[in-house]
Amino acid sequence: MKSFIGKTVLITGASSGIGEAFAKKLASEKANLIVTARSKEKLLSLAKDLESAHSVRVHVFPMDLSESGGAKKLYDNIKESGLSIDVLINNAAFGKSSKFLDTEMELYKSMIMLNVNSLVELSYLCLPEMLQKKDGGIINVASTVGFLPFPFSTIYSATKWFVMSFSEGLYGEYRDTGVTIFALCPGATATNFFSIAHPDDDLSKANFDTSEYVVEQGIDGFLKDKNYVVVGLRKYLMAQVPRFFSRRMIIRMALSYTQKIWGKR
């Protein structure tokens, strides 16, 4: 795919953060959008602003993808409206920082449903039409924590490891079809994600990228048919750590890093 002009892009988690930045950037590049998140009011406000500023169509489908059946219901609603999806951006996700047993199992189930199950199901539902067109693709927002084990964020980092492995596997399967499956791997990004994942922590020590910068890197990598991009040189170097150290050493390094940033647990 050479550009987003005239394409219809489905963005999950579009009401804030990286998802909202994707919506703004792609609307400016003349893509039509399908946006989804839990907050109908935020989505409607975003749609109104983007349609007015860029003369594109923005379709709003509020949905909670952390609930079982949410992905299929979203897809069915979109198809019933007569819309075709050229590009899927699986961005919706959340995390929680704590010792494993200090968080309720129900929250972990919701996290896995959103970060993994809904991402896989939407990919499964949207991919056949892309293959038929021999164009378009999927951007899965993974994370640099997907390259390493992260104590105190065990479930979240495991879901992002899955997203990374899943995306690269699909890239290998479909790389000669005209369809690109791409993993975007940001590090700490200036969104409300961290206020949810780390509500009691001091965020002043974290080196945050902007959502706009992350999105620029993602769009560039996707249009160049890359299989993944790690945002930022320091994060890229961190992602290479498993090549040079034992697994036990990596765990110790990750533990030291999390304690330095978020404090002793």
Side-chain angles (χ1 to χ4, degrees):
M1 200 175 91
K2 301 301 182 183
S3 80
F4 285 90
I5 297 173
K7 302 296 185 182
T8 298
V9 183
L10 168 58
I11 307 172
T12 70
S15 62
S16 64
I18 293 173
E20 181 181 11
F22 262 119
K24 291 178 177 179
K25 178 64 174 176
L26 293 178
S28 74
E29 297 192 4
K30 298 302 180 181
N32 298 306
L33 306 178
I34 303 170
V35 293
T36 187
R38 291 181 300 175
S39 175
K40 181 178 180 179
E41 292 74 18
K42 289 182 180 180
L43 292 175
L44 289 173
S45 176
L46 176 65
K48 181 179 178 181
D49 291 344
L50 295 181
E51 288 183 336
S52 175
H54 303 293
S55 299
V56 297
R57 292 295 308 275
V58 182
H59 307 272
V60 172
F61 290 87
M63 188 65 62
D64 186 352
L65 295 175
S66 69
E67 295 183 352
S68 179
K72 182 63 163 58
K73 183 177 180 181
L74 170 65
Y75 180 80
D76 288 346
N77 289 346
I78 291 170
K79 300 312 291 182
E80 287 170 6
S81 297
L83 297 171
S84 176
I85 300 166
D86 297 305
V87 177
L88 166 64
I89 301 179
N90 278 311
N91 165 72
F94 76 92
K96 180 70 168 67
S97 176
S98 72
K99 283 188 176 181
F100 176 62
L101 294 179
D102 289 347
T103 293
E104 294 180 358
M105 190 63 208
E106 289 306 310
L107 186 139
Y108 288 142
K109 289 180 180 179
S110 294
M111 190 186 302
I112 294 168
M113 178 61 69
L114 179 62
N115 298 8
V116 175
N117 294 2
S118 289
L119 178 147
V120 170
E121 187 162 9
L122 284 176
S123 299
Y124 186 86
L125 292 168
C126 295
L127 185 55
E129 189 172 359
M130 298 171 187
L131 293 172
Q132 188 175 37
K133 296 176 182 176
K134 298 181 180 180
D135 195 19
I138 300 171
I139 298 175
N140 289 326
V141 180
S143 172
T144 52
V145 304
F147 292 90
L148 301 169
F150 261 79
F152 307 114
S153 293
T154 53
I155 302 300
Y156 177 74
S157 63
T159 65
K160 291 304 182 179
W161 181 90
F162 176 91
V163 171
M164 184 68 196
S165 179
F166 173 70
S167 301
E168 290 201 303
L170 290 187
Y171 177 89
E173 289 184 27
Y174 296 107
R175 64 186 304 269
D176 296 324
T177 65
V179 176
T180 297
I181 317 294
F182 170 78
L184 174 60
C185 304
T189 307
T191 71
N192 63 2
F193 171 89
F194 284 95
S195 64
I196 297 172
H198 306 274
D200 301 319
D201 289 312
D202 177 10
L203 305 181
S204 62
K205 299 178 183 178
N207 182 24
F208 288 168
D209 291 317
T210 66
S211 296
E212 291 74 17
Y213 178 69
V214 170
V215 165
E216 287 176 2
Q217 296 298 301
I219 290 174
D220 181 68
F222 177 77
L223 291 178
K224 289 180 178 177
D225 194 33
K226 293 185 177 181
N227 54 307
Y228 82 105
V229 162
V230 174
V231 179
L233 178 60
R234 290 178 62 187
K235 279 89 172 184
Y236 175 80
L237 294 175
M238 184 188 79
Q240 307 312 307
V241 166
R243 296 185 178 188
F244 305 105
F245 298 94
S246 70
R247 297 302 297 174
R248 181 172 293 186
M249 180 59 71
I250 291 168
I251 293 169
R252 290 176 180 173
M253 293 167 66
L255 178 61
S256 175
Y257 174 80
T258 55
Q259 289 179 331
K260 178 182 178 182
I261 297 298
W262 311 117
K264 298 288 184 180
R265 298 288 175 174

